[in-house]
Amino acid sequence: ENGLNKSAIFRGTINNGRFLWTGFGIDDLVGGKEDNLEFQGFIKSTIDWMDTKPDVRLANFTDQFLSPLILTIKYNNALEPGIIDVLQSKKFTSHLIVDPTVKISKEILSRFNGDEIILDLSNFNLRDKYFSNSIKKYLDALKLEYGLDIETILVDQFVIDSIDERYLREFNFDKVLVHSQVCGLPEIGDNGLMYIAFADNQKYPKSNNEIQFFNYTPKINCEENTEDDLLADLNLFSSQNYNFISLSAARDWWIIKNNLKCEIKYLLENSIELFVSNNNSVEVNNIKLFLNAGRSSMPKNVSITSNNKLLDYDYENSSGAIAINLDKLYP
């Protein structure tokens, strides 16, 4: 506060950054040689502290999870391939909800990856042997004909209340959408399954404390172009800073946010030892670890290893950090 008329120097941290703030009157610097040396030493030690201490952090997807929206499209005969192409050209990641009892256009399926397809099992009794065999045949056919591995299912709450998740894991599902009246944040089960409340009747309040769904059901209407209305709505949400994300990104973000930890264990003259722990019950893959070595220019001859095995890495020019690619982080 200016009214105090006192010199001050503050240093501290905000998130991953460090700051130095100093304020003083000119009279405070008029002193003897010892005062000047003391002041210079204080400034230098603070700059050294800001510049050389390394930081380590995991990719955290923070910017993508402010007001997140997941776009889903309910498959029916009114869905045209063109609308999928337009969505992809506009960088809107869409997910296709399909019913195993409905024959799906090959042209439509070719527009999606396995992790973008949601298998709607709301009307299936998963414990029934007949239904289980039907689901397995459907999954095998998709794998054989299109090379698609389905990772996500949509079910009613009673299924979750009555079934062992190990049974779901036998089908290689790792994401479960559960019909709900309200949105929420994901939950990770003991076997690594991620559960997300699926509610498509929301008014889309801005929040980073829930993941919301924008669900589109194609309609045949000769008088109106409903696809134009869809794009208008999506563009409006984007202009209001809603973020359209994928289910896979949501799962990765939640795992990292809650169950991965990293820290610097040892600092030597020419080496740094990092410790990364995976507190999930399942293996985690495709993780980026950012190391800011605290220097204005990074050394060119860096060697990064884990258990004597070389790791892949690259430089992040904007921050000067090293981005280390981690894979197969066991529980």
Side-chain angles (χ1 to χ4, degrees):
E1 298 177 14
N2 290 338
L4 293 176
N5 292 322
K6 291 183 178 179
S7 298
I9 298 178
F10 297 100
R11 65 185 189 184
T13 61
I14 298 178
N15 297 327
N16 292 322
R18 298 193 174 112
F19 70 87
L20 164 66
W21 182 92
T22 177
F24 48 84
I26 190 65
D27 293 341
D28 296 322
L29 294 183
V30 179
K33 183 177 179 181
E34 291 184 0
D35 291 338
N36 266 319
L37 291 175
E38 186 73 22
F39 184 79
Q40 290 174 19
F42 191 13
I43 293 292
K44 184 179 185 300
S45 66
T46 302
I47 292 174
D48 288 343
W49 165 81
M50 294 174 70
D51 192 47
T52 59
K53 183 180 178 182
D55 287 316
V56 62
R57 59 184 173 86
L58 292 157
N60 52 30
F61 307 100
T62 301
D63 294 340
Q64 298 179 34
F65 280 82
L66 298 175
S67 303
L69 274 175
I70 293 177
L71 172 61
T72 57
I73 300 174
K74 177 73 174 178
Y75 178 81
N76 59 31
N77 291 332
L79 180 60
E80 296 289 340
I83 187 61
I84 308 300
D85 296 336
V86 172
L87 291 173
Q88 291 177 347
S89 69
K90 300 290 185 182
K91 307 301 182 184
F92 290 113
T93 299
S94 56
H95 298 76
L96 186 67
I97 300 178
V98 300
D99 187 321
T101 62
V102 176
K103 185 174 179 59
I104 304 171
S105 160
K106 294 182 178 180
E107 196 173 3
I108 295 290
L109 275 181
S110 68
R111 263 70 172 178
F112 292 89
N113 299 319
D115 59 358
E116 296 170 340
I117 296 177
I118 301 168
L119 193 61
D120 188 356
L121 300 180
S122 305
N123 298 319
F124 282 68
N125 177 2
L126 296 180
R127 285 192 176 277
D128 185 282
K129 187 175 181 180
Y130 169 77
F131 282 128
S132 295
N133 290 335
S134 298
I135 294 169
K136 190 175 186 309
K137 289 179 181 178
Y138 181 82
L139 295 174
D140 289 344
L142 285 177
K143 175 67 175 178
L144 181 63
E145 191 165 356
Y146 303 102
L148 295 175
D149 290 309
I150 307 301
E151 301 174 359
T152 309
I153 58 174
L154 173 63
V155 299
D156 287 324
Q157 181 62 49
F158 78 87
V159 173
I160 304 304
D161 296 336
S162 63
I163 199 166
D164 189 328
E165 67 177 19
R166 287 177 297 182
Y167 177 79
L168 298 178
R169 275 307 238 173
E170 291 178 4
F171 290 103
N172 293 320
F173 302 135
D174 65 7
K175 295 177 288 292
V176 181
L177 306 186
V178 185
H179 280 291
S180 174
Q181 294 300 312
V182 294
C183 298
L185 285 173
E187 296 180 8
I188 301 289
D190 292 337
N191 276 17
L193 279 170
M194 182 182 76
Y195 299 90
I196 306 181
F198 178 81
D200 58 359
N201 58 350
Q202 302 297 299
K203 296 181 180 179
Y204 307 108
K206 284 191 175 181
S207 172
N208 59 355
N209 292 317
E210 59 188 17
I211 294 180
Q212 301 175 85
F213 288 84
F214 184 100
N215 189 42
Y216 173 67
T217 301
K219 297 177 182 178
I220 298 177
N221 190 326
C222 297
E223 298 179 357
E224 297 180 9
N225 193 335
T226 58
E227 294 163 351
D228 285 348
D229 294 337
L230 169 64
L231 287 174
D233 288 340
L234 297 181
N235 287 325
L236 178 61
F237 281 123
S238 293
S239 68
Q240 295 175 345
N241 296 322
Y242 284 85
N243 288 283
F244 286 87
I245 62 170
S246 69
L247 281 167
S248 294
R251 185 175 189 275
D252 290 343
W253 164 75
W254 194 246
I255 285 175
I256 291 174
K257 179 178 174 65
N258 290 280
N259 293 307
L260 290 188
K261 305 295 180 185
C262 63
E263 60 179 318
I264 296 174
K265 281 285 189 180
Y266 300 105
L267 272 175
L268 301 175
E269 184 177 356
N270 294 313
S271 65
I272 299 173
E273 184 169 327
L274 310 176
F275 184 79
V276 183
S277 59
N278 172 19
N279 298 315
N280 297 281
S281 57
V282 293
E283 176 185 303
V284 177
N285 295 294
N286 301 320
I287 301 300
K288 273 195 180 297
L289 186 75
F290 291 94
L291 171 65
N292 176 8
R295 299 187 180 92
S296 57
S297 60
M298 299 298 297
K300 299 301 182 183
N301 54 341
V302 176
S303 176
I304 301 178
T305 61
S306 175
N307 295 325
N308 296 320
K309 183 178 180 181
L310 286 173
L311 294 180
D312 180 39
Y313 70 91
D314 48 43
Y315 290 103
E316 191 182 57
N317 293 328
S318 59
S319 66
I322 298 177
I324 305 168
N325 301 308
L326 302 179
D327 210 15
K328 294 189 180 301
L329 295 180
Y330 299 109

